[in-house]
Amino acid sequence: MVMRLFCCLLLLCAIPSFAATKLQASVDKNPVLAGEFFMLNISVDDNVKGEQPDTSVLLKDFVVGPTSLSTRTNIINGSINKQTTWSVKLMTRTEGQYTIPSFTVSGLSSQPIDLTVTKRAANADNNNDIFVKTSLSSNSLYVQEAGVYTLKLYLAKELLDGSLSTPSMEDAQLTQLGKQTESYELVDGKRYLVITREYLIQPQKSGPYTIAAPVFQGRVQQNYRQLEVSAIGEDQQIEIKPIPSDYNGAWLPSELVNLGEEWQPSDDTIEVGTPITRTITLTALGVTKEQLPDIEMPTINGIRSYPDQKDNNNAVRNGRVVSQQTASYALLPQTPGTYTLPEIKLPWFNTKINRISFATLPARKITVTPSSTVVNTPVNTEQSIDNTPVDETKADANTSAQMQTARSYTPLWLIAVAVLGYILWIGTAIYYWFTRSNINTIEKVKPLPTPLSQPSLKKLLNIQKAGDVKAFYNELNNYAVQITKQDTGAIDELCRRINNSQLSTEVIQLQAQLYGNKATNSDLGAIIKILESEQAQASNSQQTVLKDLYS
């Protein structure tokens, strides 16, 4: 046992102890071409865990790809060698002299590397199998005006894998529009697979800017071999103009802004209680959907307005951003008459002529007629009476003159009709005087108010069972018209007469469910129960009055 322990101690002593003693950085190419990828390797002679070199210092001068880690252990003739390596793919866009700084790992530091980057030849990309093209919808934009940046990657060889970086620009937001598309093009007799991406540019500050082109790196298949390839597009210069100092209001820069509307029904004459759907569409070129202002419907007395749904979206058409807002409103006329819906006017800045413009919807007149389901009560036109005091002497003189004038122009047939009428009146009076004694005297009783008519609730009950909310509302309006004898605002008048807070609340919820954009549900059964209770109370009240009258 002691012998075994002694042997183990000898083996432990024989194993050498390792510690990192050297950190080295190197590149696989020097010099390199502008736009060409090369590999930076950072190696330490030990296994290192939980620690790595800080490569963020390279971002100032280089395009930095992902970092990969590898470790290996070699045993040669009893000698053990360990190594940890970090590999970083780098690329610089312009030629010149660069310095790759030193790195520190486990207390060790590497030596800086002087790197020479030479200019790529003008014809280096001619007839190339892989290249990148970039373009802008406009080289001049206003602050917050939307532009489109398009890049195309051309591939003439079979692509195994690869990555395409995102273009970048200071003081601007770049967002990819939709998904990339693939197509085929012939360039100088060579067939290319073309991958296209479009980016939305939204500059936030004015001044000259550069859009850094994207970089492609990947692997292709060539003659049973896998080749590392890379490509870079040309940078784009763009001028961002400031918001004009004399512009007031919400900033909406665009080449074209348009307002349109649709009505359902399209007729300008409608009945009370008939809902109208008004859909307003705002279209703008060169702005995003988030920049579109909300369209507000003006308030009109006599017409209730309920906002319905609103939808914003944008798309790219012919290399330009087109945004559109669609807003719907439900209009419910309450009172007959002629109404003028006022003009809607939206200011915007015209980037073509560099001045403010207006998108407008003209004013529109609509005529609201009484409901055709109501029997209109004839209205007697009364002559207005002037209550101003008049001199009686002058009045008698005027009356005498008028009577003399009337006599001089009154035809004979009119006089005969008047005499006959007087004779008939005298005869009627004599007949009444002779027959009055034969009529029993009846005690005069103050006439009772005409009781409210009580139409049937059967239709409402049937519609409530069917669950047709719109039909229920129309039938409720007919019921209210029969009760109140009003052809306008009948439902509101019915709620006022009954004076039941629950009924008023349920009617408001019913109207919001029909014409509003809120998910509300009204209790149709509760409305019917309240009306049934009101009918029962009215019937009991009338029976009590009649009983007291004849008892």
Side-chain angles (χ1 to χ4, degrees), residues 48 107 133 325 328:
V48 177
K133 285 186 177 182
Q325 178 187 109
S328 296

Side-chain angles (χ1 to χ4, degrees), residues 471-490:
F472 185 91
Y473 184 80
N474 292 336
E475 182 60 28
L476 179 62
N477 184 69
N478 295 336
Y479 177 88
V481 168
Q482 297 178 59
I483 290 290
T484 64
K485 305 302 181 184
Q486 294 188 9
D487 57 351
T488 60

